[in-house]
Amino acid sequence: VQLQASGGGLVQAGGSLRLSCAASGRTFSSYSMGWFRQAPGKERDVVAAISRTGGSTYYADSVKGRFTISRDNAKNTVYLQMNSLKPEDTAVYYCAAGHTYSGSVLRREIEYGYWGQGTQVTVSS
C-alpha cells in the first residue's frame, strides 16, 4: 500500500483544516487506518484511528471533540477533519495503514506497516 497525504497548511488558532490520505491498491478495506503527528523534538503519537469499515474509531484525549476521522473505502481515502485548532496541534501529520483481519482499531505505531510522507500543519496564535 502506498499512501499520499495532503491538506496541511498554515491556519490561525480556532480555524479548521481537512487532511486527506489517498491509498493505492485494491485492498484498502483490509486496513485499519490511522493519523499520527510529530511535533519538533517530540515523539510521534497517534491522533486518531479508524477500523476497516469505519464502524469504530479512536481519538487521543487531546483531540477528542475537535477532530474527526473518517474513510471512504470506495475512494481508498481516509480523512482527518480538524476543527478548533490550537497552536499545540502544530506538527507533521502522517497517515498510516495497518493490515488486520478483525474490525478492531489499531492504536499503536508498531501495528502500522505502511506510512505516508507526512504533511505539515502549522497553527498560529
Side-chain angles (χ1 to χ4, degrees):
V1 175
Q2 291 186 323
L3 304 173
Q4 181 72 39
S6 61
L10 173 63
V11 64
Q12 288 187 334
S16 298
L17 282 174
R18 188 174 83 152
L19 306 183
S20 299
C21 177
S24 64
R26 295 175 292 178
T27 60
F28 180 70
S29 60
S30 298
Y31 293 85
S32 176
M33 299 298 296
W35 285 98
F36 291 73
R37 68 185 180 187
Q38 186 169 25
K42 296 187 177 181
E43 295 184 351
R44 187 161 60 184
D45 293 321
V46 64
V47 174
I50 191 167
S51 62
R52 296 188 308 170
T53 63
S56 298
T57 57
Y58 167 82
Y59 295 95
D61 288 342
S62 59
V63 306
K64 280 181 182 177
R66 300 188 298 123
F67 290 11
T68 302
I69 189 171
S70 62
R71 67 188 295 163
D72 185 338
N73 284 350
K75 295 182 178 180
N76 284 10
T77 303
V78 62
Y79 305 96
L80 185 68
Q81 178 66 44
M82 305 186 293
N83 298 330
S84 302
L85 282 162
K86 304 175 181 180
E88 50 264 44
D89 294 319
T90 295
V92 177
Y93 283 71
Y94 299 89
C95 62
H99 190 271
T100 177
Y101 292 104
S102 74
S104 61
V105 178
L106 304 183
R107 303 182 183 185
R108 299 181 300 163
E109 184 173 341
I110 196 172
E111 296 177 300
Y112 288 85
Y114 302 92
W115 294 82
Q117 83 288 4
T119 184
Q120 176 71 46
V121 172
T122 303
V123 184
S124 63
S125 58

